[in-house]
Amino acid sequence: VYADDPMAEHMVRDCKAGTIVRVGTADSADVVVNGISLAATETTFTMTSADMPMGLRVTTPLVGKFNVTNAALCGVMALRTGIRQTQLADVLRNVRGPAGRMERYELANGAVAGID
C-alpha cells in the first residue's frame, strides 16, 4: 500500500492479506522511496528496505511523481514474487507507459510536447 496516502491505514485496517507492505517516502514505510529526481525525459529514485539496505537505484523513462509511486509499488510486488533486483532495474529502465498517458513527442523544431 502507498504509505503516503492519507487513506493508507484505512485501506489496510480490515485487509486479510498475509503480508502488507507499506511503500512511501516516510522513514516508517517498509520500503522507503527517496532520492527522487524528476526530469523531462526520465525519473530516478532509490528504494531501500530491510531486504535492500544498500538500496536499489531505479531510472525509468516514466515521468511524473505519480509514476514514482506506480513504479515503486509495482517494483515491490515484483521483488516479493521473486524477480531479482537487477532484473527489476532493467525492466523499469526499459518500461514504456500507455499511449496518451504522459506521452512525449519530440517535435521537428526541438521542442517536446506532452500528451496526457
Side-chain angles (χ1 to χ4, degrees):
V1 68
Y2 182 51
D4 295 357
D5 188 311
M7 297 301 291
E9 290 310 308
H10 175 73
M11 288 187 277
V12 300
R13 186 177 328 151
D14 296 319
C15 181
K16 305 289 189 255
T19 303
I20 296 171
V21 180
R22 289 166 177 81
V23 180
T25 59
D27 289 339
S28 60
D30 301 308
V31 178
V32 177
V33 178
N34 57 29
I36 299 169
S37 175
L38 303 171
T41 59
E42 67 183 21
T43 300
T44 305
F45 60 93
T46 300
M47 297 189 314
T48 57
S49 69
D51 298 340
M52 299 181 294
M54 299 303 292
L56 174 63
R57 191 72 175 156
V58 173
T59 299
T60 180
L62 301 174
V63 297
K65 188 160 184 188
F66 73 96
N67 273 319
V68 172
T69 303
N70 292 341
L73 288 166
C74 289
V76 167
M77 287 187 282
L79 290 168
R80 294 291 171 134
T81 59
I83 191 173
R84 292 187 320 265
Q85 290 181 31
T86 54
Q87 288 175 299
L88 176 60
D90 287 342
V91 167
L92 291 175
R93 185 179 307 111
N94 295 300
V95 71
R96 297 291 176 249
R101 187 73 174 122
M102 295 299 287
E103 190 173 5
R104 292 174 35 89
Y105 287 97
E106 294 186 22
L107 305 175
N109 66 358
V112 175
I115 306 297
D116 191 32

